[in-house]
Amino acid sequence: MRLGARWVSTALRLTRLESGFRCGAQGPRVRSHGGDRAQGALQVMPRTARAMGLDPRRLTECEYGIAAGIAHMERCIASGVRTHAQMSACHVAGWGGWNKRLAARPEQYKQKYIRMAMR
């Protein structure tokens, strides 16, 4: 699957929001993910990279990390994402949780993230 021109602006918004276009960016440690950090330009979690058959050690390599983020976006589309707001939700909550109501704190964060991504 190819994302196509429709999703370019969303990919750019998410990259700016997540890493400021820095390929080597590493997010804070996330307790709910075993202390893992999101990595790379699109801030992909190592567990997510592994689930997609990718090498999480390469996420901070520019081309590889961007390809991983695009692969994640493709999974989101395959899971039913149709709008930019839905893609933002999927990016932060994953293709299994973007369209479900999460526990209170994660849901609040997801909604905040969507608002930030839509600016």
Side-chain angles (χ1 to χ4, degrees), residues 92-107:
V92 74
W95 59 81
W98 71 270
N99 59 352
K100 297 178 183 155
R101 184 148 182 88
L102 304 175
R105 289 187 78 189
E107 183 65 27

Side-chain angles (χ1 to χ4, degrees), residues 40-117:
L42 280 157
Q43 293 290 279
V44 175
M45 293 298 288
R47 184 184 304 176
T48 301
R50 283 190 290 276
M52 295 188 299
L54 301 172
D55 183 353
R57 296 170 298 187
R58 296 186 61 199
L59 290 173
T60 57
E61 295 174 21
C62 221
E63 193 171 319
Y64 196 86
I66 290 169
I70 297 301
H72 185 268
M73 291 177 74
E74 290 171 342
R75 286 272 184 110
C76 290
I77 291 168
S79 75
V81 163
R82 298 290 175 257
T83 68
H84 298 294
Q86 289 174 345
M87 183 63 79
S88 299
C90 188
H91 184 76
V92 74
W95 59 81
W98 71 270
N99 59 352
K100 297 178 183 155
R101 184 148 182 88
L102 304 175
R105 289 187 78 189
E107 183 65 27
Q108 287 174 346
Y109 181 75
K110 180 174 79 172
Q111 295 304 320
K112 178 182 175 184
Y113 186 89
I114 293 168
R115 287 191 301 275
M116 289 188 302

Side-chain angles (χ1 to χ4, degrees), residues 2-38:
R2 293 307 253 227
L3 283 181
R6 174 179 181 214
W7 295 103
V8 170
S9 66
T10 302
L12 290 171
R13 280 180 180 184
L14 293 176
T15 306
R16 179 177 42 87
L17 178 62
E18 288 290 357
S19 70
F21 299 104
R22 292 177 300 118
C23 294
Q26 292 202 13
R29 294 195 182 279
V30 181
R31 280 188 302 209
S32 62
H33 288 270
D36 276 346
R37 298 172 183 242

